[in-house]
């Protein structure tokens, strides 16, 4: 057996041994079984964040349903129907239940579906979701990161409110959900479900799911891979879309105060599962699958956005690695830096040449000014001299004139005396 053969066999045995993990038995308690408790304590101390996006036409009860979901009253102002475009309103709240802190961010659409031209109604929503992904990506790419303290504003779930028409989905609903299904976990809900009779509501749900499937819209499905929640999630997946009713009014039913809506024909109890699917939605959204929604947002939707953005920057796993891209970018940066230095030097040279030209022009102007000043002084001196000569001539003329006048007066007086 040659040395190369022995080396190849040795490397193969080493690889096989490294891939096989040996299971060992402990002779006593070590203590790493407390790792789950450590994770729970750390998570509780850090707190949790959950971000809900509510999309629906004005007046479908988005704010009321959220108040009902979290059993509180959030800040909300009624929206008008005359907005020129779709806007998003975001509010963040600090909630505490038992010893668990939750930073809840609620984003609601304002003016959605109120415009005559609804073609671009989804654009503002898509831009907002991408902006939150971009903020998280920029934080991840920093040299000095602070992910643990960074406020994660990525949308974890989207409650899409469907008008209770009882017929079919609107075109704006299908277009918007199709644009968003790869960016966020969509959970469709039928708003104000107490407006539809039970038999019509069942047909309406079937119609909605049929239209979603035929148009290729991927909505969020509750996970069934965990045995502890597989049965209930599988059952609840068949109830989507949830027909919900929200209310901020409390009505006394028996001996309890319950959220309900009163009508002339009776009372609709929000938490009565025979009246609506509100309890099902709350159980699935908050109590059972909130962490899965957060995980799906990070591992599926954000990773898809991250891959696309890195591909735009030139990072491709199959073609080039990060080091090569960094080196290439550094070389391009060096070339750009050299071009910038060359342009700066040319600019400085031109500035110096221009300054030299300006200095020469300034010297010429100073020389011309001095020459003109000297000419002006000479002309002034010459004029002063001529003025002095003229004054002397004038004075001499005046003296001669006076002498002549005196001579004439004296001669006239002598002539008069002779005549007498």
């Amino acid at each position: 057996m040659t040395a190369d053969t022995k080396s190849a066999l040795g490397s193969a045995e080493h690889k096989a041994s490294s891939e096989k993990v040996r299971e060992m038995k402990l002779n006593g308690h070590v203590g790493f079984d407390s790792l789950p408790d450590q994770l729970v304590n750390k998570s509780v101390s850090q707190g949790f964040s959950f971000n809900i996006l509510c999309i629906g036409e004005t007046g479908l009860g988005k704010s009321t349903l959220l108040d009902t979901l979290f059993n509180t009253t959030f800040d909300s102002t009624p929206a008008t129907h005359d907005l020129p475009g779709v806007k998003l309103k975001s509010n963040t709240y600090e909630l505490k239940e038992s010893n668990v802190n939750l930073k809840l961010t609620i984003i609601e659409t304002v003016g959605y579906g109120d415009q005559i031209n609804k073609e671009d109604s989804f654009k503002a929503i898509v831009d907002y979701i991408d902006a939150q992904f971009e903020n998280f990506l920029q934080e991840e790419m920093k040299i000095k990161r602070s992910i643990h303290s960074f406020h994660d504003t990525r949308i974890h779930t989207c409650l899409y409110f469907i008008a209770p028409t009882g017929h079919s989905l609107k075109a704006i609903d299908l277009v918007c959900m199709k644009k968003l299904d790869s960016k966020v976990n969509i959970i469709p809900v039928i708003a104000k479900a107490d407006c539809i009779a039970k038999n019509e509501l069942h047909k309406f749900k079937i119609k909605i799911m049929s239209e979603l499937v035929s148009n290729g819209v991927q909505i969020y499905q509750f996970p069934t891979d965990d045995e502890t929640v597989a049965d209930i999630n599988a059952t609840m997946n068949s109830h989507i879309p949830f027909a919900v009713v929200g209310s901020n009014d409390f009505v006394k039913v028996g001996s309890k105060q319950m959220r309900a809506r009163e009508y002339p024909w009776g009372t609709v109890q929000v938490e009565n599962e025979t009246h609506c699917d509100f309890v099902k939605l709350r159980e699935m959204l908050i109590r059972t699958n909130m962490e899965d929604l957060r995980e799906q947002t990070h591992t599926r939707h954000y990773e898809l956005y991250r891959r696309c953005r890195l591909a735009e920057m030139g990072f491709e796993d199959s073609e080039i690695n990060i080091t090569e891209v960094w080196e290439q970018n550094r070389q391009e940066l060096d070339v750009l830096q050299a071009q910038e230095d060359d342009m700066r030097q040319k600019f400085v040279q031109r500035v110096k040449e221009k300054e030299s030209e300006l200095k020469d022009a300034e010297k010429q102007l100073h020389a011309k000014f001095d020459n003109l000043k000297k000419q002006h002084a000479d002309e002034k001196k010459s004029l002063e001299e001529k003025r002095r000569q003229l004054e002397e001539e004038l004075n001499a003329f005046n003296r001669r004139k006076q002498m002549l006048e005196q001579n004439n007066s004296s001669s006239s007086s002598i002539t008069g005396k002779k005549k007498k």
Side-chain angles (χ1 to χ4, degrees):
M1 184 181 294
T2 62
D4 294 338
T5 306
K6 290 182 179 179
S7 176
L9 290 175
S11 61
E13 291 176 358
H14 176 72
K15 183 178 180 180
S17 62
S18 62
E19 292 179 353
K20 183 179 179 180
V21 180
R22 297 177 61 188
E23 294 184 2
M24 305 295 293
K25 292 184 178 180
L26 303 179
N27 295 325
H29 182 262
V30 177
F32 57 79
D33 58 350
S34 65
L35 276 173
D37 297 331
Q38 296 177 33
L39 289 175
V40 170
N41 294 333
K42 184 178 180 180
S43 299
V44 170
S45 63
Q46 290 180 350
F48 302 88
S49 65
F50 192 63
N51 309 317
I52 301 177
L53 171 63
C54 296
I55 303 177
E57 299 177 11
T58 306
L60 285 182
K62 300 184 293 294
S63 301
T64 303
L65 181 65
L66 288 172
D67 292 345
T68 311
L69 274 175
F70 291 92
N71 199 21
T72 186
T73 302
F74 297 111
D75 300 330
S76 62
T77 54
T80 60
H81 293 267
D82 55 355
L83 294 177
V86 179
K87 297 182 179 179
L88 284 91
K89 178 179 65 177
S90 174
N91 290 303
T92 301
Y93 306 94
E94 295 283 351
L95 305 179
K96 186 172 183 178
E97 188 175 37
S98 298
N99 62 335
V100 178
N101 294 312
L102 177 67
K103 182 178 286 188
L104 177 67
T105 301
I106 297 174
I107 305 95
E108 295 185 43
T109 56
V110 181
Y112 182 78
D114 292 337
Q115 295 76 34
I116 296 177
N117 184 4
K118 303 177 177 62
E119 184 177 358
D120 295 332
S121 297
F122 63 88
K123 190 175 184 304
I125 305 171
V126 172
D127 292 343
Y128 181 87
I129 296 174
D130 288 343
Q132 311 318 306
F133 284 153
E134 184 66 23
N135 293 338
F136 193 85
L137 178 62
Q138 293 300 324
E139 182 65 26
E140 274 192 332
M141 296 179 68
K142 288 181 180 179
I143 295 176
K144 186 177 181 181
R145 302 182 300 177
S146 56
I147 299 295
H148 63 281
S149 61
F150 178 76
H151 181 202
D152 185 6
T153 57
R154 295 173 298 176
I155 306 300
H156 298 127
T157 185
C158 168
L159 296 180
Y160 195 95
F161 287 70
I162 300 171
T165 60
H167 299 289
S168 62
L169 289 172
K170 299 180 181 179
I172 186 176
D173 299 329
L174 290 171
V175 171
C176 185
M177 282 193 276
K178 184 61 179 176
K179 293 290 183 180
L180 297 180
D181 62 357
S182 62
K183 297 178 179 294
V184 68
N185 302 311
I186 301 176
I187 300 178
V189 295
I190 300 173
K192 296 185 176 182
D194 51 342
C195 298
I196 311 177
K198 278 193 174 182
N199 57 343
E200 294 178 354
L201 182 60
H202 180 68
K203 295 178 182 178
F204 190 33
K205 285 187 175 185
I206 296 174
K207 181 69 174 178
I208 290 173
M209 293 305 298
S210 174
E211 290 181 344
L212 291 176
V213 172
S214 61
N215 287 275
V217 178
Q218 301 293 327
I219 64 173
Y220 175 75
Q221 294 290 319
F222 301 117
T224 57
D225 51 353
D226 187 354
E227 295 181 357
T228 58
V229 294
D231 293 337
I232 186 173
N233 280 349
T235 303
M236 291 303 169
N237 281 330
S238 62
H239 287 84
I240 297 176
F242 294 114
V244 297
V245 177
S247 175
N248 288 326
D249 299 327
F250 289 86
V251 176
K252 189 173 183 180
V253 179
S255 60
K256 295 182 179 180
Q257 291 286 338
M258 302 184 65
R259 290 181 181 267
R261 301 184 68 88
E262 287 189 302
Y263 294 96
W265 44 263
T267 301
V268 176
Q269 300 174 20
V270 173
E271 298 185 19
N272 190 331
E273 294 191 46
T274 61
H275 291 183
C276 68
D277 296 334
F278 170 78
V279 174
K280 296 181 178 67
L281 174 64
R282 185 177 61 188
E283 291 285 337
M284 293 296 99
L285 180 66
I286 300 175
R287 298 182 181 178
T288 306
N289 299 296
M290 179 182 283
E291 183 57 31
D292 184 73
L293 288 165
R294 286 157 41 89
E295 183 180 354
Q296 286 291 323
T297 299
H298 182 77
T299 59
R300 179 186 171 194
H301 302 297
Y302 171 69
E303 282 300 319
L304 177 60
Y305 177 84
R306 178 177 173 272
R307 288 198 300 270
C308 295
R309 285 289 290 126
L310 292 180
E312 292 176 3
M313 298 178 187
F315 296 95
E316 289 288 349
D317 293 338
S318 58
E319 298 179 0
I320 191 169
N321 58 31
I322 294 178
T323 305
E324 292 176 353
V325 172
W326 180 85
E327 182 64 24
Q328 182 181 356
N329 291 337
R330 187 185 65 81
Q331 292 176 1
E332 293 177 356
L333 183 61
D334 291 341
V335 172
L336 292 175
Q337 186 67 36
Q339 292 177 355
E340 182 182 358
D341 294 339
D342 184 54
M343 293 178 63
R344 184 181 287 108
Q345 291 177 0
K346 290 181 179 180
F347 176 75
V348 171
Q349 184 64 27
R350 289 185 179 181
V351 169
K352 288 182 179 179
E353 292 175 357
K354 197 65 177 178
E355 287 179 350
S356 178
E357 293 176 1
L358 292 174
K359 286 181 179 179
D360 293 340
E362 186 179 5
K363 288 180 180 179
Q364 293 177 3
L365 288 173
H366 279 297
K368 188 176 182 180
F369 175 75
D370 293 339
N371 189 21
L372 291 173
K373 187 176 180 182
K374 184 178 180 181
Q375 290 179 1
H376 176 71
D378 293 340
E379 291 178 356
K380 184 178 180 181
K381 186 177 180 181
S382 176
L383 290 173
E384 290 290 338
E385 183 65 24
K386 289 181 179 180
R387 179 185 176 187
R388 186 182 61 78
Q389 292 178 359
L390 288 173
E391 287 179 350
E392 290 179 355
E393 292 177 357
L394 181 61
N395 291 333
F397 175 77
N398 289 332
R399 286 195 298 270
R400 288 196 303 271
K401 182 179 179 182
Q402 290 176 359
M403 290 177 62
L404 290 172
E405 288 177 350
Q406 290 176 1
N407 292 333
N408 290 334
S409 61
S410 61
S411 62
S412 62
S413 62
I414 292 172
T415 304
K417 287 181 182 182
K418 285 182 178 182
K419 288 181 177 181
K420 290 179 179 181

PDB file of all heavy atoms in Angstrom, residues 38-51:
ATOM      1  N   GLN A  38     -32.981  28.741  31.032  1.00  0.00           N
ATOM      2  CA  GLN A  38     -32.145  29.915  30.808  1.00  0.00           C
ATOM      3  C   GLN A  38     -32.652  30.729  29.626  1.00  0.00           C
ATOM      4  O   GLN A  38     -32.694  31.967  29.677  1.00  0.00           O
ATOM      5  CB  GLN A  38     -30.694  29.493  30.567  1.00  0.00           C
ATOM      6  CG  GLN A  38     -30.018  28.815  31.749  1.00  0.00           C
ATOM      7  CD  GLN A  38     -28.618  28.374  31.402  1.00  0.00           C
ATOM      8  OE1 GLN A  38     -27.923  29.004  30.629  1.00  0.00           O
ATOM      9  NE2 GLN A  38     -28.196  27.260  32.001  1.00  0.00           N
ATOM     10  N   LEU A  39     -33.041  30.028  28.549  1.00  0.00           N
ATOM     11  CA  LEU A  39     -33.571  30.728  27.377  1.00  0.00           C
ATOM     12  C   LEU A  39     -34.874  31.454  27.710  1.00  0.00           C
ATOM     13  O   LEU A  39     -35.093  32.585  27.269  1.00  0.00           O
ATOM     14  CB  LEU A  39     -33.800  29.737  26.233  1.00  0.00           C
ATOM     15  CG  LEU A  39     -32.537  29.169  25.572  1.00  0.00           C
ATOM     16  CD1 LEU A  39     -32.910  28.115  24.543  1.00  0.00           C
ATOM     17  CD2 LEU A  39     -31.740  30.283  24.899  1.00  0.00           C
ATOM     18  N   VAL A  40     -35.734  30.779  28.483  1.00  0.00           N
ATOM     19  CA  VAL A  40     -37.001  31.413  28.868  1.00  0.00           C
ATOM     20  C   VAL A  40     -36.738  32.660  29.698  1.00  0.00           C
ATOM     21  O   VAL A  40     -37.309  33.734  29.451  1.00  0.00           O
ATOM     22  CB  VAL A  40     -37.890  30.416  29.633  1.00  0.00           C
ATOM     23  CG1 VAL A  40     -39.085  31.138  30.248  1.00  0.00           C
ATOM     24  CG2 VAL A  40     -38.367  29.311  28.705  1.00  0.00           C
ATOM     25  N   ASN A  41     -35.836  32.557  30.678  1.00  0.00           N
ATOM     26  CA  ASN A  41     -35.544  33.706  31.544  1.00  0.00           C
ATOM     27  C   ASN A  41     -34.948  34.862  30.742  1.00  0.00           C
ATOM     28  O   ASN A  41     -35.283  36.032  30.956  1.00  0.00           O
ATOM     29  CB  ASN A  41     -34.585  33.289  32.662  1.00  0.00           C
ATOM     30  CG  ASN A  41     -35.209  32.289  33.607  1.00  0.00           C
ATOM     31  OD1 ASN A  41     -36.432  32.259  33.773  1.00  0.00           O
ATOM     32  ND2 ASN A  41     -34.387  31.457  34.239  1.00  0.00           N
ATOM     33  N   LYS A  42     -34.050  34.522  29.803  1.00  0.00           N
ATOM     34  CA  LYS A  42     -33.436  35.564  28.977  1.00  0.00           C
ATOM     35  C   LYS A  42     -34.477  36.230  28.087  1.00  0.00           C
ATOM     36  O   LYS A  42     -34.489  37.462  27.943  1.00  0.00           O
ATOM     37  CB  LYS A  42     -32.321  34.962  28.130  1.00  0.00           C
ATOM     38  CG  LYS A  42     -31.568  35.980  27.302  1.00  0.00           C
ATOM     39  CD  LYS A  42     -30.447  35.323  26.519  1.00  0.00           C
ATOM     40  CE  LYS A  42     -29.693  36.351  25.689  1.00  0.00           C
ATOM     41  NZ  LYS A  42     -28.590  35.735  24.903  1.00  0.00           N
ATOM     42  N   SER A  43     -35.347  35.425  27.489  1.00  0.00           N
ATOM     43  CA  SER A  43     -36.373  35.985  26.614  1.00  0.00           C
ATOM     44  C   SER A  43     -37.342  36.865  27.391  1.00  0.00           C
ATOM     45  O   SER A  43     -37.740  37.937  26.923  1.00  0.00           O
ATOM     46  CB  SER A  43     -37.138  34.864  25.907  1.00  0.00           C
ATOM     47  OG  SER A  43     -36.275  34.086  25.102  1.00  0.00           O
ATOM     48  N   VAL A  44     -37.711  36.429  28.586  1.00  0.00           N
ATOM     49  CA  VAL A  44     -38.636  37.208  29.402  1.00  0.00           C
ATOM     50  C   VAL A  44     -38.006  38.535  29.813  1.00  0.00           C
ATOM     51  O   VAL A  44     -38.640  39.589  29.793  1.00  0.00           O
ATOM     52  CB  VAL A  44     -39.080  36.400  30.640  1.00  0.00           C
ATOM     53  CG1 VAL A  44     -39.833  37.286  31.615  1.00  0.00           C
ATOM     54  CG2 VAL A  44     -39.956  35.233  30.207  1.00  0.00           C
ATOM     55  N   SER A  45     -36.724  38.498  30.178  1.00  0.00           N
ATOM     56  CA  SER A  45     -36.050  39.729  30.595  1.00  0.00           C
ATOM     57  C   SER A  45     -35.894  40.708  29.434  1.00  0.00           C
ATOM     58  O   SER A  45     -35.999  41.918  29.627  1.00  0.00           O
ATOM     59  CB  SER A  45     -34.682  39.406  31.180  1.00  0.00           C
ATOM     60  OG  SER A  45     -33.836  38.811  30.203  1.00  0.00           O
ATOM     61  N   GLN A  46     -35.641  40.187  28.226  1.00  0.00           N
ATOM     62  CA  GLN A  46     -35.488  41.068  27.067  1.00  0.00           C
ATOM     63  C   GLN A  46     -36.829  41.572  26.549  1.00  0.00           C
ATOM     64  O   GLN A  46     -36.907  42.646  25.963  1.00  0.00           O
ATOM     65  CB  GLN A  46     -34.757  40.334  25.937  1.00  0.00           C
ATOM     66  CG  GLN A  46     -33.288  40.062  26.216  1.00  0.00           C
ATOM     67  CD  GLN A  46     -32.614  39.332  25.073  1.00  0.00           C
ATOM     68  OE1 GLN A  46     -33.281  38.861  24.139  1.00  0.00           O
ATOM     69  NE2 GLN A  46     -31.302  39.218  25.136  1.00  0.00           N
ATOM     70  N   GLY A  47     -37.896  40.825  26.753  1.00  0.00           N
ATOM     71  CA  GLY A  47     -39.192  41.211  26.229  1.00  0.00           C
ATOM     72  C   GLY A  47     -39.357  40.748  24.789  1.00  0.00           C
ATOM     73  O   GLY A  47     -38.428  40.244  24.153  1.00  0.00           O
ATOM     74  N   PHE A  48     -40.549  40.943  24.262  1.00  0.00           N
ATOM     75  CA  PHE A  48     -40.880  40.491  22.915  1.00  0.00           C
ATOM     76  C   PHE A  48     -41.461  41.658  22.115  1.00  0.00           C
ATOM     77  O   PHE A  48     -41.955  42.634  22.687  1.00  0.00           O
ATOM     78  CB  PHE A  48     -41.894  39.345  22.953  1.00  0.00           C
ATOM     79  CG  PHE A  48     -41.435  38.144  23.728  1.00  0.00           C
ATOM     80  CD1 PHE A  48     -41.662  38.048  25.094  1.00  0.00           C
ATOM     81  CD2 PHE A  48     -40.755  37.116  23.094  1.00  0.00           C
ATOM     82  CE1 PHE A  48     -41.237  36.945  25.811  1.00  0.00           C
ATOM     83  CE2 PHE A  48     -40.329  36.007  23.808  1.00  0.00           C
ATOM     84  CZ  PHE A  48     -40.562  35.922  25.162  1.00  0.00           C
ATOM     85  N   SER A  49     -41.366  41.518  20.821  1.00  0.00           N
ATOM     86  CA  SER A  49     -41.982  42.507  19.939  1.00  0.00           C
ATOM     87  C   SER A  49     -42.880  41.778  18.944  1.00  0.00           C
ATOM     88  O   SER A  49     -42.567  40.675  18.492  1.00  0.00           O
ATOM     89  CB  SER A  49     -40.917  43.319  19.182  1.00  0.00           C
ATOM     90  OG  SER A  49     -40.175  42.484  18.304  1.00  0.00           O
ATOM     91  N   PHE A  50     -43.977  42.403  18.615  1.00  0.00           N
ATOM     92  CA  PHE A  50     -44.929  41.818  17.672  1.00  0.00           C
ATOM     93  C   PHE A  50     -45.571  42.960  16.905  1.00  0.00           C
ATOM     94  O   PHE A  50     -46.038  43.942  17.497  1.00  0.00           O
ATOM     95  CB  PHE A  50     -45.991  40.998  18.403  1.00  0.00           C
ATOM     96  CG  PHE A  50     -46.822  40.137  17.495  1.00  0.00           C
ATOM     97  CD1 PHE A  50     -46.250  39.118  16.765  1.00  0.00           C
ATOM     98  CD2 PHE A  50     -48.188  40.358  17.363  1.00  0.00           C
ATOM     99  CE1 PHE A  50     -47.009  38.320  15.925  1.00  0.00           C
ATOM    100  CE2 PHE A  50     -48.955  39.563  16.541  1.00  0.00           C
ATOM    101  CZ  PHE A  50     -48.362  38.544  15.814  1.00  0.00           C
ATOM    102  N   ASN A  51     -45.565  42.837  15.581  1.00  0.00           N
ATOM    103  CA  ASN A  51     -46.042  43.912  14.718  1.00  0.00           C
ATOM    104  C   ASN A  51     -47.168  43.408  13.827  1.00  0.00           C
ATOM    105  O   ASN A  51     -47.001  42.419  13.114  1.00  0.00           O
ATOM    106  CB  ASN A  51     -44.891  44.449  13.854  1.00  0.00           C
ATOM    107  CG  ASN A  51     -43.670  44.806  14.689  1.00  0.00           C
ATOM    108  OD1 ASN A  51     -43.796  45.406  15.753  1.00  0.00           O
ATOM    109  ND2 ASN A  51     -42.497  44.447  14.209  1.00  0.00           N
TER     110      ASN A  51
END
